[in-house]
Amino acid sequence: MIQIKSTQEIEKIRRSSQLASQTLDYAASVIKVGQTTAELDRLIHRFILGHNAVPATLGYRGFPASCCISINEVVVHGIPGPRVIQTGDLVKVDVTTILDGYYGDTARTFLMEPVLPKARHLAETTEKSLYLAVETVRHGSRLGDIGEAIQTCVEKEGFQVVRDFVGHGVGLKFHEDPNVPHYGRAGTGQRLKAGMTFTIEPMINAGTWRTRILADGWTAVTGDGELSAQFEHTLLVTQTGAEILTVS
Ligand code: MF3
Ligand code: CO
Ligand code: CO
């Protein structure tokens, strides 16, 4: 069942989402080549606690860190650790905050310049596909409209949409209904209603869309070792469109 949030709930989800976005602004200001992902996670952890919030990922189903950091061929759910951030890397940082009990979820791909043209093209196309998908959202639009917007945009550029991970309802809990696939056909799927809050978070691969999970049980990598990019926003459906809640 997809919940419709009350005005009071929406305001709390908005505040948490803004903090999540501010956390990524902070990450952008401190991320650097030579840093380990564990070091970046530590800084993000302190930032979130310093704003009277809690990182939702820490301890979530046993996840051991305060954010996910996924480099290059790592698609999603990278565990911060000893891996060193290098020039040319695509570094996906995904932050979910719990502020006053409410969740905000957002991710960006950071380019450790200089990066190869193909890597830049992948990251830019991924971000563009997210905004094209957001444009489809309003009271009465359908989940399939989102999926088609993303799939059309990225396949035109020769990239592929990851199937194994999808967007999700968010706000009162970390993962709520509905699932939000980043592929599909316009005019299909559930209708959206004003007051729904969910993420769109396309993971786009340079090669195959297939992924596999490493032995740690979390880290998802591309099936062929090629690059992957991701951007994520938490949205509120309104009568006339979508409000992006994860803005800073
Ligand atoms: N933030 C991720 C999402 O967008 C979920 C991370 S779950 C974790 O849904 F356990 F890996 F942290
Ligand atoms: Co999410
Ligand atoms: Co996320």
Side-chain angles (χ1 to χ4, degrees):
M1 195 211 52
I2 312 180
Q3 283 200 48
I4 305 299
K5 273 79 173 190
S6 70
T7 309
Q8 290 79 1
E9 288 169 337
I10 288 166
E11 186 50 29
K12 305 240 186 176
I13 298 165
R14 186 183 284 113
R15 284 190 198 285
S16 188
S17 295
Q18 285 170 354
L19 177 60
S21 186
Q22 282 165 21
T23 306
L24 287 183
D25 292 346
Y26 170 73
S29 76
V30 295
I31 190 172
K32 58 174 192 235
V33 166
Q35 191 175 46
T36 67
T37 54
E39 285 163 356
L40 181 55
D41 174 67
R42 193 76 212 144
L43 293 169
I44 286 171
H45 178 83
R46 287 206 207 102
F47 184 92
I48 294 171
L49 292 192
H51 290 77
N52 304 313
V54 179
T57 53
L58 191 58
Y60 177 76
R61 298 186 181 192
F63 192 82
S66 298
C67 61
C68 298
I69 306 180
S70 309
I71 299 180
N72 294 343
E73 78 289 350
V74 180
V75 175
V76 73
H77 300 162
I79 302 173
R83 187 166 175 170
V84 174
I85 295 167
Q86 303 198 19
T87 301
D89 281 352
L90 290 187
V91 184
K92 287 85 71 179
V93 181
D94 188 344
V95 167
T96 309
T97 48
I98 311 173
L99 180 64
D100 203 8
Y102 293 80
Y103 291 74
D105 187 5
T106 185
R108 295 180 204 161
T109 299
F110 296 116
L111 282 58
M112 305 312 292
E113 300 285 3
V115 303
L116 290 173
K118 186 182 179 177
R120 181 186 317 284
H121 186 212
L122 177 66
E124 287 178 356
T125 303
T126 303
E127 187 169 26
K128 181 177 163 199
S129 76
L130 169 57
Y131 286 103
L132 287 172
V134 171
E135 286 298 315
T136 71
V137 174
R138 61 180 163 75
H139 183 85
S141 71
R142 290 173 178 258
L143 282 175
D145 302 347
I146 293 170
E148 182 174 303
I150 293 165
Q151 190 174 10
T152 304
C153 169
V154 309
E155 289 184 356
K156 201 169 65 188
E157 303 299 328
F159 301 135
Q160 296 194 16
V161 179
V162 170
R163 312 303 205 243
D164 302 334
F165 304 93
V166 297
H168 51 91
V170 68
L172 313 187
K173 292 189 299 178
F174 199 162
H175 293 108
E176 306 172 346
D177 281 344
N179 282 338
V180 182
H182 305 111
Y183 54 91
R185 297 217 332 268
T188 69
Q190 274 187 277
R191 279 192 194 280
L192 304 178
K193 294 199 180 106
M196 290 180 179
T197 53
F198 59 84
T199 73
I200 304 178
E201 50 182 297
M203 287 140 274
I204 305 302
N205 293 353
T208 180
W209 56 264
R210 291 183 186 279
T211 66
R212 66 191 172 85
I213 310 281
L214 299 187
D216 61 27
W218 281 106
T219 312
V221 298
T222 53
D224 54 9
E226 289 268 356
L227 289 175
S228 186
Q230 183 185 28
F231 286 84
E232 173 178 28
H233 274 308
T234 296
L235 307 180
L236 167 69
V237 182
T238 69
Q239 285 296 336
T240 54
E243 178 185 338
I244 298 176
L245 299 180
T246 38
V247 290
S248 39

PDB file of all heavy atoms in Angstrom, residues 27-64:
ATOM      1  N   ALA A  27      29.993  16.560   1.667  1.00  0.00           N
ATOM      2  CA  ALA A  27      30.858  15.513   1.092  1.00  0.00           C
ATOM      3  C   ALA A  27      31.607  16.055  -0.119  1.00  0.00           C
ATOM      4  O   ALA A  27      32.811  15.803  -0.275  1.00  0.00           O
ATOM      5  CB  ALA A  27      30.023  14.293   0.704  1.00  0.00           C
ATOM      6  N   ALA A  28      30.908  16.825  -0.955  1.00  0.00           N
ATOM      7  CA  ALA A  28      31.552  17.399  -2.147  1.00  0.00           C
ATOM      8  C   ALA A  28      32.714  18.305  -1.753  1.00  0.00           C
ATOM      9  O   ALA A  28      33.716  18.391  -2.468  1.00  0.00           O
ATOM     10  CB  ALA A  28      30.529  18.190  -2.958  1.00  0.00           C
ATOM     11  N   SER A  29      32.585  18.964  -0.606  1.00  0.00           N
ATOM     12  CA  SER A  29      33.614  19.918  -0.186  1.00  0.00           C
ATOM     13  C   SER A  29      34.821  19.234   0.464  1.00  0.00           C
ATOM     14  O   SER A  29      35.887  19.836   0.545  1.00  0.00           O
ATOM     15  CB  SER A  29      33.011  20.955   0.780  1.00  0.00           C
ATOM     16  OG  SER A  29      32.818  20.389   2.066  1.00  0.00           O
ATOM     17  N   VAL A  30      34.660  18.001   0.917  1.00  0.00           N
ATOM     18  CA  VAL A  30      35.782  17.335   1.611  1.00  0.00           C
ATOM     19  C   VAL A  30      36.348  16.135   0.854  1.00  0.00           C
ATOM     20  O   VAL A  30      37.448  15.671   1.177  1.00  0.00           O
ATOM     21  CB  VAL A  30      35.383  16.886   3.052  1.00  0.00           C
ATOM     22  CG1 VAL A  30      35.081  18.090   3.922  1.00  0.00           C
ATOM     23  CG2 VAL A  30      34.230  15.893   3.037  1.00  0.00           C
ATOM     24  N   ILE A  31      35.631  15.621  -0.138  1.00  0.00           N
ATOM     25  CA  ILE A  31      36.122  14.444  -0.865  1.00  0.00           C
ATOM     26  C   ILE A  31      37.406  14.815  -1.594  1.00  0.00           C
ATOM     27  O   ILE A  31      37.513  15.904  -2.167  1.00  0.00           O
ATOM     28  CB  ILE A  31      35.051  13.908  -1.851  1.00  0.00           C
ATOM     29  CG1 ILE A  31      35.457  12.551  -2.426  1.00  0.00           C
ATOM     30  CG2 ILE A  31      34.756  14.904  -2.961  1.00  0.00           C
ATOM     31  CD1 ILE A  31      34.358  11.875  -3.245  1.00  0.00           C
ATOM     32  N   LYS A  32      38.398  13.929  -1.547  1.00  0.00           N
ATOM     33  CA  LYS A  32      39.630  14.215  -2.277  1.00  0.00           C
ATOM     34  C   LYS A  32      40.383  12.937  -2.626  1.00  0.00           C
ATOM     35  O   LYS A  32      40.234  11.908  -1.960  1.00  0.00           O
ATOM     36  CB  LYS A  32      40.522  15.170  -1.508  1.00  0.00           C
ATOM     37  CG  LYS A  32      40.917  14.707  -0.140  1.00  0.00           C
ATOM     38  CD  LYS A  32      41.926  15.679   0.492  1.00  0.00           C
ATOM     39  CE  LYS A  32      42.532  15.045   1.724  1.00  0.00           C
ATOM     40  NZ  LYS A  32      42.395  15.855   2.927  1.00  0.00           N
ATOM     41  N   VAL A  33      41.161  13.054  -3.694  1.00  0.00           N
ATOM     42  CA  VAL A  33      42.017  11.953  -4.124  1.00  0.00           C
ATOM     43  C   VAL A  33      43.003  11.639  -3.003  1.00  0.00           C
ATOM     44  O   VAL A  33      43.515  12.548  -2.346  1.00  0.00           O
ATOM     45  CB  VAL A  33      42.763  12.359  -5.426  1.00  0.00           C
ATOM     46  CG1 VAL A  33      43.904  11.409  -5.732  1.00  0.00           C
ATOM     47  CG2 VAL A  33      41.779  12.424  -6.593  1.00  0.00           C
ATOM     48  N   GLY A  34      43.213  10.337  -2.758  1.00  0.00           N
ATOM     49  CA  GLY A  34      44.124   9.909  -1.703  1.00  0.00           C
ATOM     50  C   GLY A  34      43.409   9.550  -0.415  1.00  0.00           C
ATOM     51  O   GLY A  34      43.992   8.919   0.470  1.00  0.00           O
ATOM     52  N   GLN A  35      42.155   9.962  -0.311  1.00  0.00           N
ATOM     53  CA  GLN A  35      41.345   9.666   0.874  1.00  0.00           C
ATOM     54  C   GLN A  35      40.792   8.234   0.740  1.00  0.00           C
ATOM     55  O   GLN A  35      40.446   7.817  -0.361  1.00  0.00           O
ATOM     56  CB  GLN A  35      40.181  10.662   0.827  1.00  0.00           C
ATOM     57  CG  GLN A  35      39.285  10.804   2.002  1.00  0.00           C
ATOM     58  CD  GLN A  35      38.282  11.947   1.724  1.00  0.00           C
ATOM     59  OE1 GLN A  35      37.692  12.012   0.637  1.00  0.00           O
ATOM     60  NE2 GLN A  35      38.107  12.828   2.680  1.00  0.00           N
ATOM     61  N   THR A  36      40.675   7.541   1.852  1.00  0.00           N
ATOM     62  CA  THR A  36      39.967   6.255   1.797  1.00  0.00           C
ATOM     63  C   THR A  36      38.466   6.520   1.942  1.00  0.00           C
ATOM     64  O   THR A  36      38.053   7.545   2.496  1.00  0.00           O
ATOM     65  CB  THR A  36      40.406   5.288   2.916  1.00  0.00           C
ATOM     66  OG1 THR A  36      39.987   5.823   4.180  1.00  0.00           O
ATOM     67  CG2 THR A  36      41.920   5.073   2.911  1.00  0.00           C
ATOM     68  N   THR A  37      37.688   5.565   1.472  1.00  0.00           N
ATOM     69  CA  THR A  37      36.236   5.741   1.602  1.00  0.00           C
ATOM     70  C   THR A  37      35.824   5.669   3.072  1.00  0.00           C
ATOM     71  O   THR A  37      34.828   6.283   3.463  1.00  0.00           O
ATOM     72  CB  THR A  37      35.484   4.702   0.750  1.00  0.00           C
ATOM     73  OG1 THR A  37      35.930   3.383   1.098  1.00  0.00           O
ATOM     74  CG2 THR A  37      35.725   4.944  -0.735  1.00  0.00           C
ATOM     75  N   ALA A  38      36.604   4.977   3.897  1.00  0.00           N
ATOM     76  CA  ALA A  38      36.323   4.951   5.345  1.00  0.00           C
ATOM     77  C   ALA A  38      36.502   6.343   5.943  1.00  0.00           C
ATOM     78  O   ALA A  38      35.717   6.759   6.810  1.00  0.00           O
ATOM     79  CB  ALA A  38      37.231   3.946   6.049  1.00  0.00           C
ATOM     80  N   GLU A  39      37.521   7.068   5.489  1.00  0.00           N
ATOM     81  CA  GLU A  39      37.746   8.432   6.000  1.00  0.00           C
ATOM     82  C   GLU A  39      36.577   9.346   5.617  1.00  0.00           C
ATOM     83  O   GLU A  39      36.094  10.128   6.438  1.00  0.00           O
ATOM     84  CB  GLU A  39      39.068   9.005   5.456  1.00  0.00           C
ATOM     85  CG  GLU A  39      40.305   8.407   6.122  1.00  0.00           C
ATOM     86  CD  GLU A  39      41.609   8.646   5.342  1.00  0.00           C
ATOM     87  OE1 GLU A  39      41.597   9.221   4.233  1.00  0.00           O
ATOM     88  OE2 GLU A  39      42.651   8.230   5.863  1.00  0.00           O
ATOM     89  N   LEU A  40      36.129   9.235   4.370  1.00  0.00           N
ATOM     90  CA  LEU A  40      34.999  10.062   3.932  1.00  0.00           C
ATOM     91  C   LEU A  40      33.726   9.693   4.714  1.00  0.00           C
ATOM     92  O   LEU A  40      32.965  10.581   5.130  1.00  0.00           O
ATOM     93  CB  LEU A  40      34.784   9.877   2.422  1.00  0.00           C
ATOM     94  CG  LEU A  40      33.651  10.678   1.792  1.00  0.00           C
ATOM     95  CD1 LEU A  40      33.799  12.178   2.064  1.00  0.00           C
ATOM     96  CD2 LEU A  40      33.591  10.418   0.278  1.00  0.00           C
ATOM     97  N   ASP A  41      33.539   8.427   4.949  1.00  0.00           N
ATOM     98  CA  ASP A  41      32.378   7.975   5.731  1.00  0.00           C
ATOM     99  C   ASP A  41      32.397   8.563   7.137  1.00  0.00           C
ATOM    100  O   ASP A  41      31.361   8.980   7.670  1.00  0.00           O
ATOM    101  CB  ASP A  41      32.374   6.446   5.803  1.00  0.00           C
ATOM    102  CG  ASP A  41      31.291   5.914   6.724  1.00  0.00           C
ATOM    103  OD1 ASP A  41      30.107   6.077   6.384  1.00  0.00           O
ATOM    104  OD2 ASP A  41      31.625   5.367   7.795  1.00  0.00           O
ATOM    105  N   ARG A  42      33.589   8.607   7.723  1.00  0.00           N
ATOM    106  CA  ARG A  42      33.743   9.125   9.088  1.00  0.00           C
ATOM    107  C   ARG A  42      33.327  10.597   9.156  1.00  0.00           C
ATOM    108  O   ARG A  42      32.633  11.042  10.071  1.00  0.00           O
ATOM    109  CB  ARG A  42      35.218   8.965   9.486  1.00  0.00           C
ATOM    110  CG  ARG A  42      35.503   9.162  10.933  1.00  0.00           C
ATOM    111  CD  ARG A  42      35.059   7.953  11.759  1.00  0.00           C
ATOM    112  NE  ARG A  42      34.632   8.421  13.069  1.00  0.00           N
ATOM    113  CZ  ARG A  42      33.629   7.914  13.764  1.00  0.00           C
ATOM    114  NH1 ARG A  42      32.923   6.901  13.299  1.00  0.00           N
ATOM    115  NH2 ARG A  42      33.320   8.404  14.936  1.00  0.00           N
ATOM    116  N   LEU A  43      33.752  11.360   8.151  1.00  0.00           N
ATOM    117  CA  LEU A  43      33.396  12.789   8.093  1.00  0.00           C
ATOM    118  C   LEU A  43      31.882  12.950   7.934  1.00  0.00           C
ATOM    119  O   LEU A  43      31.266  13.803   8.586  1.00  0.00           O
ATOM    120  CB  LEU A  43      34.135  13.466   6.927  1.00  0.00           C
ATOM    121  CG  LEU A  43      35.664  13.561   7.080  1.00  0.00           C
ATOM    122  CD1 LEU A  43      36.311  14.000   5.767  1.00  0.00           C
ATOM    123  CD2 LEU A  43      36.033  14.509   8.214  1.00  0.00           C
ATOM    124  N   ILE A  44      31.303  12.138   7.075  1.00  0.00           N
ATOM    125  CA  ILE A  44      29.855  12.199   6.841  1.00  0.00           C
ATOM    126  C   ILE A  44      29.104  11.810   8.117  1.00  0.00           C
ATOM    127  O   ILE A  44      28.114  12.454   8.492  1.00  0.00           O
ATOM    128  CB  ILE A  44      29.492  11.282   5.646  1.00  0.00           C
ATOM    129  CG1 ILE A  44      29.951  11.954   4.346  1.00  0.00           C
ATOM    130  CG2 ILE A  44      28.002  10.948   5.627  1.00  0.00           C
ATOM    131  CD1 ILE A  44      29.859  11.088   3.104  1.00  0.00           C
ATOM    132  N   HIS A  45      29.605  10.802   8.791  1.00  0.00           N
ATOM    133  CA  HIS A  45      28.998  10.366  10.064  1.00  0.00           C
ATOM    134  C   HIS A  45      28.939  11.526  11.056  1.00  0.00           C
ATOM    135  O   HIS A  45      27.888  11.816  11.641  1.00  0.00           O
ATOM    136  CB  HIS A  45      29.833   9.213  10.635  1.00  0.00           C
ATOM    137  CG  HIS A  45      29.343   8.710  11.956  1.00  0.00           C
ATOM    138  ND1 HIS A  45      28.328   7.793  12.072  1.00  0.00           N
ATOM    139  CD2 HIS A  45      29.726   9.010  13.220  1.00  0.00           C
ATOM    140  CE1 HIS A  45      28.100   7.550  13.350  1.00  0.00           C
ATOM    141  NE2 HIS A  45      28.942   8.278  14.082  1.00  0.00           N
ATOM    142  N   ARG A  46      30.073  12.224  11.217  1.00  0.00           N
ATOM    143  CA  ARG A  46      30.134  13.335  12.175  1.00  0.00           C
ATOM    144  C   ARG A  46      29.210  14.469  11.754  1.00  0.00           C
ATOM    145  O   ARG A  46      28.573  15.105  12.590  1.00  0.00           O
ATOM    146  CB  ARG A  46      31.567  13.876  12.277  1.00  0.00           C
ATOM    147  CG  ARG A  46      32.487  12.949  13.027  1.00  0.00           C
ATOM    148  CD  ARG A  46      33.647  13.727  13.655  1.00  0.00           C
ATOM    149  NE  ARG A  46      34.787  12.837  13.791  1.00  0.00           N
ATOM    150  CZ  ARG A  46      35.833  12.837  12.980  1.00  0.00           C
ATOM    151  NH1 ARG A  46      35.923  13.721  11.994  1.00  0.00           N
ATOM    152  NH2 ARG A  46      36.808  11.987  13.137  1.00  0.00           N
ATOM    153  N   PHE A  47      29.164  14.734  10.453  1.00  0.00           N
ATOM    154  CA  PHE A  47      28.314  15.825   9.955  1.00  0.00           C
ATOM    155  C   PHE A  47      26.845  15.552  10.291  1.00  0.00           C
ATOM    156  O   PHE A  47      26.130  16.440  10.777  1.00  0.00           O
ATOM    157  CB  PHE A  47      28.495  15.986   8.439  1.00  0.00           C
ATOM    158  CG  PHE A  47      27.738  17.151   7.863  1.00  0.00           C
ATOM    159  CD1 PHE A  47      28.337  18.403   7.742  1.00  0.00           C
ATOM    160  CD2 PHE A  47      26.415  17.000   7.438  1.00  0.00           C
ATOM    161  CE1 PHE A  47      27.634  19.484   7.218  1.00  0.00           C
ATOM    162  CE2 PHE A  47      25.710  18.080   6.919  1.00  0.00           C
ATOM    163  CZ  PHE A  47      26.318  19.319   6.804  1.00  0.00           C
ATOM    164  N   ILE A  48      26.410  14.339  10.046  1.00  0.00           N
ATOM    165  CA  ILE A  48      24.998  14.000  10.291  1.00  0.00           C
ATOM    166  C   ILE A  48      24.677  14.090  11.791  1.00  0.00           C
ATOM    167  O   ILE A  48      23.685  14.714  12.186  1.00  0.00           O
ATOM    168  CB  ILE A  48      24.677  12.600   9.720  1.00  0.00           C
ATOM    169  CG1 ILE A  48      24.787  12.615   8.190  1.00  0.00           C
ATOM    170  CG2 ILE A  48      23.282  12.139  10.153  1.00  0.00           C
ATOM    171  CD1 ILE A  48      24.697  11.248   7.528  1.00  0.00           C
ATOM    172  N   LEU A  49      25.536  13.507  12.614  1.00  0.00           N
ATOM    173  CA  LEU A  49      25.305  13.568  14.074  1.00  0.00           C
ATOM    174  C   LEU A  49      25.337  15.013  14.559  1.00  0.00           C
ATOM    175  O   LEU A  49      24.569  15.398  15.442  1.00  0.00           O
ATOM    176  CB  LEU A  49      26.358  12.749  14.834  1.00  0.00           C
ATOM    177  CG  LEU A  49      26.337  11.231  14.669  1.00  0.00           C
ATOM    178  CD1 LEU A  49      27.242  10.584  15.715  1.00  0.00           C
ATOM    179  CD2 LEU A  49      24.946  10.634  14.742  1.00  0.00           C
ATOM    180  N   GLY A  50      26.219  15.813  13.949  1.00  0.00           N
ATOM    181  CA  GLY A  50      26.332  17.219  14.321  1.00  0.00           C
ATOM    182  C   GLY A  50      25.091  18.027  13.991  1.00  0.00           C
ATOM    183  O   GLY A  50      24.941  19.160  14.468  1.00  0.00           O
ATOM    184  N   HIS A  51      24.225  17.474  13.165  1.00  0.00           N
ATOM    185  CA  HIS A  51      22.963  18.139  12.820  1.00  0.00           C
ATOM    186  C   HIS A  51      21.767  17.422  13.444  1.00  0.00           C
ATOM    187  O   HIS A  51      20.649  17.471  12.916  1.00  0.00           O
ATOM    188  CB  HIS A  51      22.827  18.250  11.297  1.00  0.00           C
ATOM    189  CG  HIS A  51      23.798  19.244  10.713  1.00  0.00           C
ATOM    190  ND1 HIS A  51      25.141  18.968  10.529  1.00  0.00           N
ATOM    191  CD2 HIS A  51      23.625  20.530  10.324  1.00  0.00           C
ATOM    192  CE1 HIS A  51      25.741  20.034  10.029  1.00  0.00           C
ATOM    193  NE2 HIS A  51      24.845  21.004   9.904  1.00  0.00           N
ATOM    194  N   ASN A  52      22.035  16.782  14.565  1.00  0.00           N
ATOM    195  CA  ASN A  52      20.966  16.149  15.370  1.00  0.00           C
ATOM    196  C   ASN A  52      20.193  15.081  14.617  1.00  0.00           C
ATOM    197  O   ASN A  52      19.014  14.869  14.867  1.00  0.00           O
ATOM    198  CB  ASN A  52      19.992  17.208  15.905  1.00  0.00           C
ATOM    199  CG  ASN A  52      20.719  18.265  16.701  1.00  0.00           C
ATOM    200  OD1 ASN A  52      21.539  17.941  17.555  1.00  0.00           O
ATOM    201  ND2 ASN A  52      20.453  19.530  16.387  1.00  0.00           N
ATOM    202  N   ALA A  53      20.892  14.421  13.696  1.00  0.00           N
ATOM    203  CA  ALA A  53      20.256  13.353  12.929  1.00  0.00           C
ATOM    204  C   ALA A  53      21.086  12.083  13.068  1.00  0.00           C
ATOM    205  O   ALA A  53      22.154  12.078  13.683  1.00  0.00           O
ATOM    206  CB  ALA A  53      20.124  13.761  11.466  1.00  0.00           C
ATOM    207  N   VAL A  54      20.565  11.009  12.471  1.00  0.00           N
ATOM    208  CA  VAL A  54      21.211   9.701  12.537  1.00  0.00           C
ATOM    209  C   VAL A  54      21.318   9.176  11.108  1.00  0.00           C
ATOM    210  O   VAL A  54      20.387   9.344  10.318  1.00  0.00           O
ATOM    211  CB  VAL A  54      20.359   8.726  13.393  1.00  0.00           C
ATOM    212  CG1 VAL A  54      20.998   7.359  13.446  1.00  0.00           C
ATOM    213  CG2 VAL A  54      20.147   9.286  14.790  1.00  0.00           C
ATOM    214  N   PRO A  55      22.454   8.561  10.756  1.00  0.00           N
ATOM    215  CA  PRO A  55      22.563   7.945   9.426  1.00  0.00           C
ATOM    216  C   PRO A  55      21.752   6.654   9.371  1.00  0.00           C
ATOM    217  O   PRO A  55      21.985   5.740  10.166  1.00  0.00           O
ATOM    218  CB  PRO A  55      24.061   7.669   9.271  1.00  0.00           C
ATOM    219  CG  PRO A  55      24.619   7.654  10.654  1.00  0.00           C
ATOM    220  CD  PRO A  55      23.702   8.424  11.545  1.00  0.00           C
ATOM    221  N   ALA A  56      20.821   6.584   8.430  1.00  0.00           N
ATOM    222  CA  ALA A  56      19.883   5.447   8.391  1.00  0.00           C
ATOM    223  C   ALA A  56      20.566   4.135   8.026  1.00  0.00           C
ATOM    224  O   ALA A  56      20.081   3.064   8.393  1.00  0.00           O
ATOM    225  CB  ALA A  56      18.758   5.741   7.392  1.00  0.00           C
ATOM    226  N   THR A  57      21.658   4.226   7.292  1.00  0.00           N
ATOM    227  CA  THR A  57      22.296   2.986   6.833  1.00  0.00           C
ATOM    228  C   THR A  57      23.036   2.264   7.958  1.00  0.00           C
ATOM    229  O   THR A  57      23.207   1.045   7.888  1.00  0.00           O
ATOM    230  CB  THR A  57      23.312   3.271   5.706  1.00  0.00           C
ATOM    231  OG1 THR A  57      24.220   4.274   6.169  1.00  0.00           O
ATOM    232  CG2 THR A  57      22.628   3.743   4.452  1.00  0.00           C
ATOM    233  N   LEU A  58      23.487   3.017   8.984  1.00  0.00           N
ATOM    234  CA  LEU A  58      24.321   2.417  10.035  1.00  0.00           C
ATOM    235  C   LEU A  58      23.506   1.399  10.832  1.00  0.00           C
ATOM    236  O   LEU A  58      22.570   1.757  11.543  1.00  0.00           O
ATOM    237  CB  LEU A  58      24.869   3.523  10.952  1.00  0.00           C
ATOM    238  CG  LEU A  58      25.955   3.117  11.946  1.00  0.00           C
ATOM    239  CD1 LEU A  58      27.180   2.523  11.234  1.00  0.00           C
ATOM    240  CD2 LEU A  58      26.370   4.326  12.781  1.00  0.00           C
ATOM    241  N   GLY A  59      23.861   0.125  10.649  1.00  0.00           N
ATOM    242  CA  GLY A  59      23.151  -0.950  11.340  1.00  0.00           C
ATOM    243  C   GLY A  59      21.903  -1.433  10.613  1.00  0.00           C
ATOM    244  O   GLY A  59      21.253  -2.370  11.069  1.00  0.00           O
ATOM    245  N   TYR A  60      21.592  -0.804   9.477  1.00  0.00           N
ATOM    246  CA  TYR A  60      20.416  -1.228   8.704  1.00  0.00           C
ATOM    247  C   TYR A  60      20.690  -2.596   8.083  1.00  0.00           C
ATOM    248  O   TYR A  60      21.587  -2.728   7.250  1.00  0.00           O
ATOM    249  CB  TYR A  60      20.104  -0.194   7.623  1.00  0.00           C
ATOM    250  CG  TYR A  60      18.959  -0.566   6.714  1.00  0.00           C
ATOM    251  CD1 TYR A  60      17.643  -0.469   7.141  1.00  0.00           C
ATOM    252  CD2 TYR A  60      19.194  -1.036   5.431  1.00  0.00           C
ATOM    253  CE1 TYR A  60      16.593  -0.816   6.311  1.00  0.00           C
ATOM    254  CE2 TYR A  60      18.158  -1.373   4.577  1.00  0.00           C
ATOM    255  CZ  TYR A  60      16.861  -1.266   5.026  1.00  0.00           C
ATOM    256  OH  TYR A  60      15.819  -1.610   4.193  1.00  0.00           O
ATOM    257  N   ARG A  61      19.966  -3.609   8.533  1.00  0.00           N
ATOM    258  CA  ARG A  61      20.192  -4.989   8.079  1.00  0.00           C
ATOM    259  C   ARG A  61      21.666  -5.373   8.158  1.00  0.00           C
ATOM    260  O   ARG A  61      22.196  -6.066   7.284  1.00  0.00           O
ATOM    261  CB  ARG A  61      19.690  -5.188   6.658  1.00  0.00           C
ATOM    262  CG  ARG A  61      18.193  -4.951   6.561  1.00  0.00           C
ATOM    263  CD  ARG A  61      17.661  -5.274   5.197  1.00  0.00           C
ATOM    264  NE  ARG A  61      16.237  -5.004   5.139  1.00  0.00           N
ATOM    265  CZ  ARG A  61      15.447  -5.400   4.157  1.00  0.00           C
ATOM    266  NH1 ARG A  61      15.934  -6.101   3.163  1.00  0.00           N
ATOM    267  NH2 ARG A  61      14.170  -5.098   4.162  1.00  0.00           N
ATOM    268  N   GLY A  62      22.342  -4.821   9.174  1.00  0.00           N
ATOM    269  CA  GLY A  62      23.744  -5.146   9.382  1.00  0.00           C
ATOM    270  C   GLY A  62      24.727  -4.319   8.582  1.00  0.00           C
ATOM    271  O   GLY A  62      25.942  -4.541   8.662  1.00  0.00           O
ATOM    272  N   PHE A  63      24.247  -3.322   7.815  1.00  0.00           N
ATOM    273  CA  PHE A  63      25.190  -2.482   7.056  1.00  0.00           C
ATOM    274  C   PHE A  63      26.052  -1.703   8.053  1.00  0.00           C
ATOM    275  O   PHE A  63      25.521  -1.098   8.985  1.00  0.00           O
ATOM    276  CB  PHE A  63      24.448  -1.520   6.115  1.00  0.00           C
ATOM    277  CG  PHE A  63      25.352  -0.850   5.114  1.00  0.00           C
ATOM    278  CD1 PHE A  63      25.718  -1.496   3.940  1.00  0.00           C
ATOM    279  CD2 PHE A  63      25.863   0.424   5.362  1.00  0.00           C
ATOM    280  CE1 PHE A  63      26.568  -0.887   3.016  1.00  0.00           C
ATOM    281  CE2 PHE A  63      26.717   1.043   4.440  1.00  0.00           C
ATOM    282  CZ  PHE A  63      27.061   0.385   3.271  1.00  0.00           C
ATOM    283  N   PRO A  64      27.394  -1.707   7.860  1.00  0.00           N
ATOM    284  CA  PRO A  64      28.289  -1.216   8.916  1.00  0.00           C
ATOM    285  C   PRO A  64      28.705   0.253   8.824  1.00  0.00           C
ATOM    286  O   PRO A  64      29.591   0.654   9.587  1.00  0.00           O
ATOM    287  CB  PRO A  64      29.528  -2.114   8.735  1.00  0.00           C
ATOM    288  CG  PRO A  64      29.566  -2.377   7.261  1.00  0.00           C
ATOM    289  CD  PRO A  64      28.131  -2.397   6.785  1.00  0.00           C
TER     290      PRO A  64
END
